[in-house]
Amino acid sequence: MNAPLARFLLVLRGLCVAAAAASERVLAEDPLVEEGASSGRRTGRLYCRVGIGFHLQIHPDGRVNGTHAPNHLSVLELFAVSQGVIGIRGVFSERFLAMNKRGRLHATEKFTEDCKFRERFQENSYNTYASVMHRNRRTGREWFVALNKRGKAKMGSSPRVKSQHVSTHFLPRFNLQDKAERGFTIADRNREQEIAAPPQPKPPSPSIVKVNTGRKRSETVKYWPKFRFG
């Protein structure tokens, strides 16, 4: 190996090591990322199929509700906190979804224990999000993130908010724009040539004189072969 190539490989290796160290330092300084949870960030929307269907959205003033038409407030970031536990942050509002001790949904500027939710996958391909910190102390029933048929946030402490109800079922929709950009169409070149070329006038068909010769016209008979097995 010649000297210039060896020198180039050493410089490239040093740059890779420096980039890896910088990325680890950024993750360590991020207050949202705990030990062992440096990955698992997803950006998209949470669609609730209750009523006419709503997307969960977080407002800058701390309100939480649903919107039928997706917008910038419904773009959410789901990040892993621990195994099965996630946090939900509004990308444009820069607030975290939280549930207080009464079961009311709201949004906060800082990530606290009220912002941790347990994500579970249901049999119908929808997900439920239950509060990790708050539940019914007497019965132990979990409190879920839910929307009513008008798109308003429901109280997680309500006895009607259960994991079997559609108000608690959310469908994650991630990378919708990327999927649309990856679509493609196949053009039929023969069809394009037919459209591009102007239609040519058909030549006049010559006059045909039919002569009765007294013979019967032969008919074409098709025979289909029969296959027998056994």
Side-chain angles (χ1 to χ4, degrees):
M1 184 181 295
N2 53 7
L5 181 59
R7 194 180 303 109
F8 174 75
L9 293 177
L10 289 176
V11 173
L12 182 61
R13 182 179 179 182
L15 293 176
C16 294
V17 172
S23 61
E24 292 179 359
R25 184 172 61 256
V26 171
L27 291 175
E29 294 175 355
D30 193 346
L32 302 181
V33 180
E34 297 183 358
E35 296 181 359
S38 59
S39 61
R41 292 179 180 268
R42 298 165 291 169
T43 303
R45 294 183 173 91
L46 292 179
Y47 175 78
C48 183
R49 61 175 186 155
V50 67
I52 60 176
F54 296 95
H55 296 85
L56 185 68
Q57 62 178 359
I58 299 177
H59 295 265
D61 57 358
R63 292 184 296 111
V64 177
N65 58 6
T67 174
H68 179 62
N71 53 33
H72 62 283
L73 293 178
S74 61
V75 179
L76 308 176
E77 181 187 37
L78 280 66
F79 55 92
V81 178
S82 61
Q83 185 176 4
V85 178
I86 67 168
I88 303 174
R89 182 181 72 92
V91 174
F92 289 89
S93 61
E94 297 184 353
R95 287 177 175 266
F96 301 95
L97 181 67
M99 181 181 292
N100 60 16
K101 60 182 180 180
R102 297 181 55 190
R104 184 181 299 276
L105 290 175
H106 63 284
T108 60
E109 296 181 355
K110 296 183 179 180
F111 185 79
T112 62
E113 296 294 328
D114 293 344
C115 303
K116 296 181 179 180
F117 296 92
R118 194 174 304 278
E119 183 180 35
R120 291 190 179 93
F121 302 95
Q122 303 298 320
E123 297 179 355
N124 58 357
S125 301
Y126 284 79
N127 297 352
T128 57
Y129 300 91
S131 176
V132 175
M133 294 299 299
H134 305 293
R135 62 175 60 202
N136 193 313
R137 297 181 180 179
R138 183 174 57 87
T139 61
R141 183 179 59 84
E142 293 181 314
W143 294 351
F144 293 90
V145 178
L147 299 175
N148 63 13
K149 60 182 180 180
R150 296 181 181 86
K152 296 182 179 180
K154 300 182 69 173
M155 296 285 291
S157 56
S158 173
R160 296 184 178 180
V161 178
K162 301 179 181 180
S163 60
Q164 299 84 1
H165 200 268
V166 295
S167 61
T168 63
H169 294 178
F170 291 87
L171 180 64
R173 293 179 173 179
F174 302 121
N175 300 328
L176 297 180
Q177 184 176 1
D178 297 341
K179 292 182 180 179
E181 292 177 354
R182 287 197 295 266
F184 62 92
T185 57
I186 300 176
D188 189 354
R189 294 185 177 181
N190 296 331
R191 180 61 179 172
E192 291 180 354
Q193 293 177 0
E194 292 178 1
I195 297 176
Q200 299 294 335
K202 295 182 179 180
S205 58
S207 59
I208 300 174
V209 179
K210 296 182 180 181
V211 179
N212 188 5
T213 59
R215 298 180 181 179
K216 294 184 179 180
R217 186 177 59 181
S218 61
E219 297 181 357
T220 303
V221 180
K222 295 183 179 180
Y223 295 93
W224 300 95
K226 297 183 180 179
F227 297 95
R228 296 182 180 179
F229 300 93

